């Protein structure tokens, strides 16, 4: 099963993708997580990506596509995957479609987690992330058991550099200009499914499971 998560920054793509990956036994592939891991490890790719991420801009398509195609070519992606944060532009969606077509494959579901802009800024300011294992929390809605510590792996939780209010506003603008058109794109492909992302996390997940079966 090949799944794409669509939705604005902070809509809950990552939160749901992790749960989907666990339930269906497929890898969770997040381009944002890959870039952040590279920044943490001071790689050249990380340095390049950081320039764009800190301003809320998209990392150039060429670089992002290469990273993503390398990742999904790995063995663990043979039975499918859930893509979180990719594609984010029509160019990226076209490349993915081309590559899959070559293999006689396609995206089965594009799940659009729908959350209006008003809710987004509040969610982002309360987000805390684990850079070690990728788990995400919210200080009000989804708090860790012990403040500032990851439930999964015990590492300290941090606030993402791009979760500052000004950067979030930029990310939303970029989302509306470049990524939102993908909703129509996957509608035409017959893969689009909308879920209401303003519901509590477990309800959103139940709605997604009802779609995936
Ligand atoms: P990326 O890491 O993908 O960030 P994003 O799309 O901005 O999305 P977020 O991770 O911020 O939000 P999310 O939807 O995953 O929400 P989450 O589950 O955490 O990308 C970062 C940057 O990398 C980009 O800006 C760009 O520069 C670059 N990049 C990445 N991919 C790229 C690409 N393909 N092309 C070019 N550049 C790329 O939830 C948010 C918060 O809400 C959390 O605190 C969570 O606990 C809480 N929450 C979740 N669900 C609920 C709920 N139902 N109710 C209440 N709270 C909830
Ligand atoms: Mg995310
Ligand atoms: Zn962790």
């Amino acid at each position: 099963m090949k799944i794409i998560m669509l939705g604005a920054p902070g809509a809950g793509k990552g939160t749901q993708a992790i749960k989907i990956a666990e339930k269906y036994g497929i890898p969770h592939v997040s381009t944002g997580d890959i870039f952040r891991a590279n920044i943490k490890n001071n790689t050249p790719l990380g340095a390049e990506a950081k320039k764009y991420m800190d301003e809320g801009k998209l990392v150039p398509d060429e670089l992002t596509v290469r990273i993503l195609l390398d990742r999904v070519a790995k063995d663990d992606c043979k039975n499918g995957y859930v893509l979180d944060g990719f594609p984010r532009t029509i160019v990226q969606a076209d490349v993915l479609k081309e590559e899959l077509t070559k293999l006689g494959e396609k995206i089965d579901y594009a799940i659009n987690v729908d959350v209006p802009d008003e809710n987004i800024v509040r969610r982002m300011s309360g987000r805390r992330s684990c850079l070690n294992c990728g788990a995400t929390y919210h200080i009000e809605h989804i708090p860790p058991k012990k403040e500032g510590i990851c439930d999964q792996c015990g590492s300290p939780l941090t606030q993402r550099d791009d979760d500052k209010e000004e950067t979030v506003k930029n990310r939303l603008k970029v989302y509306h200009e470049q990524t939102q058109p993908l909703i129509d794109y996957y509608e035409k492909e017959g893969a689009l499914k909308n879920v209401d992302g303003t519901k509590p996390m477990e309800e959103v997940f139940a709605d997604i499971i009802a779609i995936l079966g």
Side-chain angles (χ1 to χ4, degrees):
M1 186 153 54
K2 296 190 183 63
I3 304 167
I4 287 172
M5 304 303 291
L6 294 176
K13 301 182 295 295
T15 301
Q16 298 298 333
I18 288 170
K19 295 168 75 72
I20 295 169
E22 204 175 53
K23 179 166 170 73
Y24 295 93
I26 50 177
H28 165 222
V29 176
S30 158
T31 37
D33 285 354
I34 294 172
F35 291 140
R36 279 185 289 278
N38 276 275
I39 292 172
K40 189 181 169 213
N41 295 325
N42 290 311
T43 71
L45 167 67
E48 181 66 16
K50 188 171 166 48
K51 291 193 284 191
Y52 302 93
M53 291 170 76
D54 280 354
E55 290 185 33
K57 293 182 183 159
L58 294 184
V59 177
D61 285 333
E62 205 192 57
L63 183 59
T64 309
V65 160
R66 187 151 45 82
I67 300 300
L68 189 279
L69 293 181
D70 278 357
R71 177 64 189 88
V72 297
K74 297 230 162 80
D75 256 6
D76 63 336
C77 288
K78 269 207 186 100
N79 296 322
Y81 40 74
V82 48
L83 300 186
D84 161 19
F86 186 100
R88 252 186 164 88
T89 64
I90 300 280
V91 171
Q92 292 179 13
D94 279 341
V95 174
L96 179 63
K97 187 178 167 186
E98 248 172 63
E99 289 298 315
L100 288 175
T101 305
K102 279 185 210 163
L103 301 167
E105 296 169 1
K106 64 176 177 49
I107 293 298
D108 300 299
Y109 298 98
I111 297 174
N112 180 38
V113 184
D114 190 19
V115 176
D117 287 10
E118 306 89 82
N119 304 29
I120 296 285
V121 179
R122 198 156 16 107
R123 274 201 191 177
M124 302 298 232
S125 58
R127 171 163 56 188
R128 297 293 180 273
S129 313
C130 176
L131 278 178
N132 183 48
C133 77
T136 301
Y137 304 86
H138 190 283
I139 49 175
E140 290 163 46
H141 310 303
I142 308 165
K145 291 195 182 83
K146 195 166 166 227
E147 195 187 322
I149 302 292
C150 179
D151 290 351
Q152 310 291 328
C153 74
S155 301
L157 298 175
T158 53
Q159 199 163 10
R160 267 169 52 173
D161 286 343
D162 59 349
D163 278 352
K164 291 190 292 270
E165 191 168 332
E166 268 319 293
T167 316
V168 169
K169 284 188 179 145
N170 243 334
R171 285 160 61 196
L172 274 172
K173 185 166 171 280
V174 167
Y175 167 75
H176 289 298
E177 288 169 1
Q178 305 203 51
T179 308
Q180 207 172 17
L182 293 178
I183 296 175
D184 278 349
Y185 184 104
Y186 286 106
E187 171 96 77
K188 286 189 189 120
E189 297 280 310
L192 186 75
K193 302 285 176 189
N194 286 299
V195 295
D196 178 357
T198 65
K199 294 184 187 174
M201 174 178 82
E202 292 298 343
E203 287 181 34
V204 179
F205 187 51
D207 290 347
I208 292 175
I209 291 176
I211 291 164
L212 301 179

